[in-house]
Amino acid sequence: MPILRDSQVSFDYTVPVAVVGAGACGLTAALAAADAGAEVLVLERDKRPWGSTSMSLGAMCAAASGEHRRHGIEDSAERFVADVMAKTAGRADARLARVVGEQSGPTVDWLAARHEVPLPLDFKWTSLGHSVPRLHIPPGRSGEQLLALLGRACERAGVQVMTEARVRDLHADASGRIRGVRIERPDGSTEDLGVGALVLASCGFGGNRERVARHIPEMANARYFGHEGNEGDALEWGEALGAALADLSAYQGLGTLADPQSVIVPHPLLLEGGFLVNLRGERFTHENANISGMCVPVLAQPEGLAWVIFDERRNAACLEHSVEQRQLAEVGAIKRAATWPALERLCNLPEGSLARENALADASRASGAPDRLGRSFAGLEPLQPPFCALRVTGALFHTQGGLVVDERAQVLRPDGSRLPNLFAGGGAARSISGPEVTGYLPGMGLCMAITLGRLAGDAAAGVALGAAA
Ligand SMILES: Cc1cc2nc3c(=O)[nH]c(=O)nc-3n(C[C@H](O)[C@H](O)[C@H](O)COP(=O)(O)OP(=O)(O)OC[C@H]3O[C@@H](n4cnc5c(N)ncnc54)[C@H](O)[C@@H]3O)c2cc1C
């Protein structure tokens, strides 16, 4: 991923704004640049845009949106910042948290009103660090639908998306101004394209084993369940250009990836009274204390496996709203039995283990006191037969560290100066999750993709059009 410094290169064609990557960040950036009046081209390495966005649940957090007002929910940028700082123990970038607190709601409103990308507020699972409901999710409740809606909006806005176009190298001058990009096609041929401004929306480095081992050693041997094409290209270019990078140790790693089906088990099963046991039939963690980093305790169990234990009533409720739960039901992943001993046999768990753990949960429910793992079951309905189980493992889902950006999503150097025409968002940019796995708030991945994408596209258009004027 070198930076090409040949100032003699001339380009047959120059596009005012180019965007690397056609995920949520790239397509949102393209819409914003088009709205600002710039011609924009999105360059995507895959044959069809997919990215981590399509793999996601499609839930974006946003503060103080029109949806909040519609539902009479009071929210504000201040409240959002307070939640972010509490979740990250004060270690997130407070300046960027403020920008996202102020801009995420208006971005949701803009997507719905201007681009027909509706993101209604969701009430299925709300807490986990957000002090008010903040998850906005498309009606089909999937990342696939979110990307499709953004793709259609791009078509309407006249945005060109060039697929099978992997950006390999950037052309830059001595000041760090990006002059163009070198694209590699599947047959190995290359093309050079001039750019007025460039938005890096190529996500993080979860698909790059060497970088994961370097920055997140505890996940070096874990399964990666994000988009394989996210190889950290933006970080390579940023480093070579002298950009600042931060929080590279931060990530989201869920502990509830169905094994072997590789489908995410919906959180409400645990939030609403289900629990996890290891292959010895023992609970080992407070299931809701750190959902984002649950991969760590799960992978520390025998064979790195666990069972999510719940009941048919919760299963039925989940089937209504979760695409993933329906997929798991269709492939027969959900074990079901009328009694605890029968479920223990189905799951090959020690005799009496599930009945014992359930009795302890019931005791916590009755007394109102937290159990030995610090979890309180007070107020949650007891599990009732038939009982259900899903086998899960932990995996790295997406990284949270990246290029340091300012309030316009413009890439910064360590001394705070700006690279002249380079912008970044989504997984390519440093998030507001702090440096630890514990700092991730639900919906923050897409929030940083869509909110920073909009800011980046708008500012990139401003730079490109300003330079052309
Ligand atoms: C299973 C799963 C579930 C998730 N659920 C949620 C959720 O519900 N809510 C939430 O907020 N977050 C969720 N996330 C995280 C969220 O998906 C990401 O944070 C978000 O999609 C990042 O968007 P992006 O546009 O930056 O990256 P992506 O959507 O990954 O798009 C990046 C694109 O860049 C392309 N690319 C990479 N390098 C190049 C190159 N050199 N040249 C050209 N193209 C390139 C890739 O092919 C890809 O299409 C989830 C993640 C996973 C894996």
Side-chain angles (χ1 to χ4, degrees):
M1 297 288 143
I3 301 298
L4 305 172
R5 301 281 185 183
D6 182 0
S7 56
Q8 303 306 311
V9 172
S10 61
F11 302 100
D12 288 342
Y13 181 71
T14 293
V15 66
V17 175
V19 177
V20 186
C25 179
L27 296 185
T28 309
L31 288 173
D35 273 11
E39 187 194 339
V40 53
L41 175 65
V42 182
L43 302 160
E44 167 56 49
R45 59 180 273 165
D46 288 349
K47 196 168 184 170
R48 156 168 102 100
W50 189 250
S52 284
T53 299
S54 282
M55 299 177 69
S56 79
L57 305 176
M60 162 192 179
C61 70
S65 68
E67 280 286 296
H68 284 107
R69 291 186 289 283
R70 192 163 75 82
H71 289 282
I73 297 170
E74 271 195 38
D75 195 17
S76 64
E78 291 73 28
R79 191 168 184 160
F80 178 85
V81 174
D83 289 349
V84 167
M85 298 320 273
K87 186 81 173 97
T88 59
R91 299 179 75 192
D93 177 346
R95 173 196 51 95
L96 193 59
R98 173 100 211 164
V99 172
V100 176
E102 286 169 354
Q103 296 296 332
S104 52
T107 299
V108 164
D109 300 344
W110 163 75
L111 278 178
R114 166 111 180 106
H115 291 293
E116 297 174 40
V117 180
L119 290 168
L121 198 56
D122 185 61
F123 296 93
K124 293 282 183 287
W125 49 287
T126 53
S127 58
L128 303 172
H130 289 296
S131 56
V132 292
R134 288 211 181 96
L135 293 182
H136 294 68
I137 189 163
R141 306 185 67 80
S142 77
E144 207 176 328
Q145 190 198 36
L146 174 63
L147 198 70
L149 287 167
L150 289 169
R152 282 202 287 280
C154 280
E155 277 171 30
R156 285 192 295 271
V159 168
Q160 300 287 324
V161 179
M162 185 190 283
T163 55
E164 299 190 304
R166 179 168 186 180
V167 177
R168 277 279 175 199
D169 312 313
L170 306 187
H171 295 271
D173 67 17
S175 74
R177 176 176 295 281
I178 309 300
R179 300 178 57 238
V181 295
R182 176 162 292 172
I183 300 160
E184 186 183 78
R185 296 303 213 156
D187 64 2
S189 63
T190 60
E191 295 162 30
D192 291 307
L193 172 77
V195 303
L198 185 66
V199 178
L200 300 180
S202 49
C203 207
F205 56 91
N208 182 327
R209 297 315 300 175
E210 185 277 321
R211 266 199 188 270
V212 171
R214 189 167 10 135
H215 304 303
I216 314 176
E218 74 263 28
M219 286 290 107
N221 299 316
R223 196 186 301 187
Y224 171 54
F225 190 66
H227 182 59
E228 291 295 334
N230 296 338
E231 295 185 55
D233 294 357
L235 274 66
E236 304 284 331
W237 295 315
E239 278 173 349
L241 288 162
L245 286 95
D247 291 341
L248 297 181
S249 51
Y251 65 101
Q252 188 189 31
L254 298 181
T256 48
L257 185 65
D259 179 81
Q261 297 83 6
S262 285
V263 173
I264 306 175
V265 174
H267 302 322
L269 292 178
L270 289 171
L271 292 175
E272 290 165 14
F275 56 82
L276 282 168
V277 296
N278 61 20
L279 299 191
R280 293 194 291 258
E282 296 161 353
R283 280 188 61 225
F284 53 91
T285 189
H286 176 337
E287 289 82 355
N288 303 330
N290 177 19
I291 285 201
S292 154
M294 189 56 71
C295 58
V296 177
V298 168
L299 289 172
Q301 302 311 304
E303 299 181 41
L305 294 170
W307 288 93
V308 179
I309 307 296
F310 51 104
D311 64 7
E312 184 53 40
R313 195 176 59 81
R314 287 163 173 86
N315 181 42
C318 240
L319 285 171
E320 270 180 33
H321 64 78
S322 165
V323 180
E324 288 74 20
Q325 192 73 357
R326 288 197 287 274
Q327 287 170 348
L328 289 164
E330 274 162 25
V331 298
I334 303 170
K335 310 269 186 213
R336 191 181 278 98
T339 63
W340 288 121
L343 192 64
E344 287 156 4
R345 282 192 297 279
L346 265 184
C347 302
N348 206 16
L349 291 169
E351 201 181 321
S353 56
L354 292 181
R356 185 173 55 247
E357 289 295 3
N358 187 58
L360 290 171
D362 281 345
S364 151
R365 192 182 342 271
S367 71
D371 64 13
R372 69 182 191 282
L373 298 161
R375 178 173 176 189
S376 168
F377 285 83
L380 297 168
E381 288 285 311
L383 302 192
Q384 304 282 359
F387 302 116
C388 304
L390 273 163
R391 196 172 71 176
V392 291
T393 188
L396 169 64
F397 278 60
H398 53 119
T399 55
Q400 288 287 289
L403 296 161
V404 177
V405 297
D406 71 2
E407 66 287 352
R408 299 172 358 134
Q410 191 158 358
V411 177
L412 298 175
R413 298 188 183 88
D415 65 5
S417 62
R418 297 181 172 90
L419 279 131
N421 61 346
L422 187 63
F423 300 82
R430 174 199 197 184
S431 187
I432 47 176
S433 300
E436 309 277 350
V437 67
T438 46
Y440 183 84
L441 277 163
M444 195 56 84
L446 288 169
C447 174
M448 297 304 281
I450 289 177
T451 308
L452 289 186
R454 179 185 182 210
L455 295 171
D458 187 54
V463 166
L465 297 174

